[in-house]
Amino acid sequence: MVRILTAWLLIVAALPITYSNEIAPSTSFDVVVYGGTSAGVVAAVQAARLGRSVVIVAPERKLGGLSASGLGWTDTGDKSVIGGLSREFYHRVWKHYQKPTAWKWQRREEFGNRGQGTEAIDTQGRTQWIFEPHVAEEVFEEMLAEADVRVEREEWLDRAAGVELAGKKIASIRTLSGKTFAGKIFIDATYEGDLMAAAGVDYHVGREAREVYGEEWNGVQVGVLHHKHYFEKPVDPYVVAGDPSSGLLPRISATPPGSRHEGDQRVQAYCFRMCLSNHPDNRLPFPRPESYDPAQYELLLRIFATGWRDVFWKFDRVPNRKTDTNNHGPFSTDNIGFNYDYPEASYERRREIIQEHIDYQQGLMYFMANDPRVPEEIRTKLASWGLAADEFQETNGWPHQIYVREARRMIGEYVATEADCLSQRTTDVPIGMGSYVMDSHNVQRYVTPEGTVQNEGDIGVHPPQPYKIAYGSLTPRKGQASNLLVPVCLSSSHIAYGSIRMEPVFMILAHSAATAADLALDSGCAVQEIDYHELRDRLLSEGQILDLPHEP
């Protein structure tokens, strides 16, 4: 059953297949958006509203990225700096939940108003920040339909030979099905940065060493323990406790972690943001993967043996008795260390990595709900939960998008660093603002010199105030791809990206990218050369927030 469940779910391309070419090779658009994430939707809608011909070339079948795939407990930071179409999206969510018919599994007054430190529902601002996945998908599809945006779904870029360059410009892209999309401006809105990379733009994968940008919180962070995603009490890592010759338990690396502030190619952990339900009429039992191996979770049993019981901390409630369930604790839904090659992997290899993550996470939930060695209070409580039956119905309740927290990051005209996030420097060409914690999930799980197991890479450092994101973080360096904008895999260091990489910010930047594209088309110039003052005026008139309230 599980293989059927995930058959179309994979966000990696199948082997090339011959299709009929529905779009003539000569068809051209003002703006070609590659990627059906929340940023891709917003960029396309904004370009269409500005009167431009636009198409979304989407590898995905379902649009909206993580916002429509389980991440309903929105990581907002300071909501006052979320503007433009990003805020419009959350306003439309609010409008949906004003309907009595929106509350099927619980009464509105039962939901309460708990959010990320502020209200989940802002009645005064007419926005709602916490929502069910299908609601987000409906809102995105509604916005696209109203703007009459053309969407080509399940179209995968031919990364090896599908980007045609004309000098410094991208002339067209070709997908594995053989379709060609010509354009004047291209926007890479993917989580992976595949178009950016295929166009020859500079980028980075992994963590930079401290000396690259002078950052305290970048590079390997051995000994730094933020949040609660580490081992608080000593846990033996060996198959036979105390016997290194017996080998390590699964999910622990034998590779030394590296030295503090050293750069590496490792990537912070991925997971799926599950939407769970505890309503007996809307609950699917956790599936048992075909490859299920309870030995993969032996380390979790040892953590339970220390007295740890905080399994349910990140069962964050969204409307209708559902959750956005995220990673929490030393051993949870984050599949630490199993995604390092994902950013640059082939489609086939990405498919394997994603399936490994599905098997791991489904197996974890099944293990905790069924294995008799799991403490009874956890098993009993978890048995009252299951996948929400009315979400992701084509895949039996499993999210369609893996949480690619970080992949490639462009090295563009301006590299955002922790100095920007900490307000130690600022830009005079902002196109949006960020405010969330500099948040990196764990990168590796290793054996300490004392012979215990520990996680490394989890960082949480709060900016003192909202900060500006520079226009140059959306553009390649001069001399590279003069008609490409990158609002998701933008130009940022690893640790700064930990703050910027939030769905509301991706939508903010996508809105600004589309308006910048419109200006570049008007003036006939490279995206790196547009008149920023004109862009600023346009963005402010469109409801974007570019300054703190006390600034001019």
Side-chain angles (χ1 to χ4, degrees):
M1 181 190 78
V2 173
R3 293 297 174 183
I4 296 173
L5 182 152
T6 61
W8 76 265
L9 174 150
L10 305 174
I11 65 167
V12 294
L15 295 175
I17 303 173
T18 301
Y19 293 88
S20 62
N21 196 340
E22 298 174 4
I23 295 183
S26 60
T27 300
S28 182
F29 300 87
D30 292 328
V31 180
V32 175
V33 178
Y34 183 61
T37 62
S38 61
V41 172
V42 165
V45 168
Q46 176 64 3
R49 289 182 180 181
L50 294 173
R52 299 298 179 178
S53 61
V54 59
V55 63
I56 297 180
V57 182
E60 303 87 352
R61 179 178 177 179
K62 297 284 190 174
L63 303 185
L66 261 298
S67 287
S69 194
L71 206 168
W73 180 266
T74 306
D75 299 318
T76 54
D78 187 333
K79 296 178 176 67
S80 69
V81 296
I82 298 173
L85 267 68
S86 184
R87 179 166 285 269
E88 179 183 325
F89 168 78
Y90 297 103
H91 168 64
R92 286 173 176 253
V93 170
W94 177 85
K95 287 176 65 178
H96 170 85
Y97 284 108
Q98 300 309 299
K99 306 171 188 175
T101 55
W103 299 89
K104 180 178 181 179
W105 303 109
Q106 71 179 154
R107 296 192 303 273
R108 185 202 308 264
E109 56 269 23
E110 291 176 340
F111 176 62
N113 205 15
R114 179 169 171 260
Q116 289 268 34
T118 55
E119 293 182 340
I121 306 170
D122 180 0
T123 304
Q124 183 175 354
R126 294 164 58 87
T127 51
Q128 182 154 336
W129 308 94
I130 294 176
F131 46 84
E132 300 158 276
H134 77 272
V135 172
E137 183 181 355
E138 289 171 4
V139 168
F140 285 127
E141 292 287 356
E142 178 185 74
M143 293 172 73
L144 288 168
E146 289 175 2
D148 196 23
V149 172
R150 184 169 189 163
V151 181
E152 294 288 325
R153 301 171 196 258
E154 297 183 284
E155 290 291 341
W156 302 86
L157 177 66
D158 180 348
R159 290 159 58 192
V163 177
E164 180 184 353
L165 297 174
K168 299 175 184 178
K169 289 187 175 182
I170 301 172
S172 65
I173 62 173
R174 186 178 64 255
T175 62
L176 292 178
S177 72
K179 294 180 182 179
T180 297
F181 302 87
K184 298 174 184 177
I185 301 288
F186 291 79
I187 297 175
D188 185 341
T190 63
Y191 290 122
E192 295 85 4
D194 283 343
L195 174 56
M196 170 191 72
V201 173
D202 292 337
Y203 62 87
H204 188 85
V205 175
R207 299 181 287 187
E208 297 93 347
R210 176 167 62 178
E211 59 265 21
V212 175
Y213 299 118
E215 296 174 298
E216 177 63 23
W217 302 110
N218 210 340
V220 175
Q221 297 289 316
V222 170
V224 177
L225 302 174
H226 292 177
H227 294 123
K228 286 288 186 179
H229 307 316
Y230 58 87
F231 291 77
E232 298 183 69
K233 296 181 181 180
V235 173
D236 191 288
Y238 301 110
V239 174
V240 177
D243 182 6
S245 67
S246 65
L248 293 170
L249 291 174
R251 310 285 161 177
I252 302 174
S253 173
T255 304
S259 302
R260 179 82 187 276
H261 293 130
E262 185 177 73
D264 63 13
Q265 297 299 305
R266 301 181 180 104
V267 180
Q268 62 175 306
Y270 299 169
C271 69
F272 286 87
R273 298 287 284 252
M274 297 178 297
C275 183
L276 306 183
S277 173
N278 66 353
H279 194 292
D281 296 329
N282 194 39
R283 183 180 70 227
L284 296 174
F286 294 112
R288 184 183 190 273
E290 290 181 1
S291 62
Y292 177 66
D293 176 12
Q296 295 296 311
Y297 312 103
E298 184 70 29
L299 182 58
L300 180 58
L301 293 177
R302 294 192 184 180
I303 297 169
F304 287 146
T306 69
W308 185 81
R309 296 291 186 272
D310 214 2
V311 170
F312 302 96
W313 182 257
K314 288 301 291 177
F315 279 45
D316 293 318
R317 305 303 174 94
V318 301
N320 283 309
R321 287 181 61 173
K322 299 177 190 175
T323 72
D324 168 356
T325 296
N326 194 12
N327 178 81
H328 179 74
F331 191 106
S332 184
T333 57
D334 277 3
N335 195 4
I336 300 171
F338 284 78
N339 62 335
Y340 296 158
D341 57 334
Y342 179 89
E344 300 196 85
S346 67
Y347 290 137
E348 293 76 16
R349 174 59 184 146
R350 285 183 186 167
R351 179 169 56 231
E352 295 170 355
I353 294 169
I354 292 167
Q355 189 62 56
E356 210 287 328
H357 280 69
I358 293 169
D359 291 344
Y360 165 76
Q361 191 164 333
Q362 288 185 350
L364 172 67
M365 303 308 291
Y366 182 85
F367 176 81
M368 288 193 295
N370 293 280
D371 196 292
R373 297 171 295 171
V374 172
E376 183 177 1
E377 67 266 33
I378 292 174
R379 270 189 294 120
T380 301
K381 185 173 181 179
L382 198 60
S384 70
W385 290 93
L387 300 175
D390 63 346
E391 299 288 348
F392 315 118
Q393 292 184 339
E394 293 182 57
T395 49
N396 291 341
W398 195 256
H400 48 74
Q401 171 69 60
I402 193 171
Y403 194 173
V404 180
R405 287 189 172 89
E406 186 174 352
R408 298 182 181 98
R409 287 172 283 103
M410 181 170 64
I411 303 174
E413 280 287 282
Y414 185 100
V415 180
T417 71
E418 72 175 36
D420 295 274
C421 298
L422 297 177
S423 296
Q424 294 168 351
R425 70 168 180 173
T426 190
T427 176
D428 58 1
V429 289
I431 39 78
M433 301 189 76
S435 63
Y436 198 73
V437 178
M438 289 191 291
D439 179 20
S440 171
H441 280 233
N442 277 308
V443 177
Q444 57 184 325
R445 180 179 289 131
Y446 68 101
V447 179
T448 70
E450 295 76 28
T452 61
V453 61
Q454 190 53 271
N455 296 334
E456 183 275 322
D458 188 84
I459 297 295
V461 178
H462 289 262
Q465 62 185 14
Y467 57 89
K468 300 176 183 179
I469 301 171
Y471 176 64
S473 283
L474 303 190
T475 68
R477 291 169 169 171
K478 290 181 180 177
Q480 296 181 349
S482 61
N483 62 338
L484 175 67
L485 291 157
V486 185
V488 177
C489 293
L490 73 161
S491 181
S492 168
S493 71
H494 156 72
I495 194 59
Y497 193 75
S499 174
I500 296 170
R501 64 174 180 84
M502 304 304 154
E503 292 285 300
V505 179
F506 285 157
M507 288 189 271
I508 290 169
L509 300 180
H511 174 157
S512 294
T515 300
D518 185 61
L519 288 178
L521 289 168
D522 277 343
S523 61
C525 69
V527 295
Q528 294 90 342
E529 298 172 353
I530 65 170
D531 183 336
Y532 172 74
H533 296 291
E534 185 176 357
L535 175 62
R536 178 184 173 86
D537 290 344
R538 286 275 301 276
L539 293 177
L540 290 174
S541 71
E542 293 164 359
Q544 291 281 55
I545 310 297
L546 306 182
D547 302 293
L548 291 171
H550 63 273
E551 293 182 313

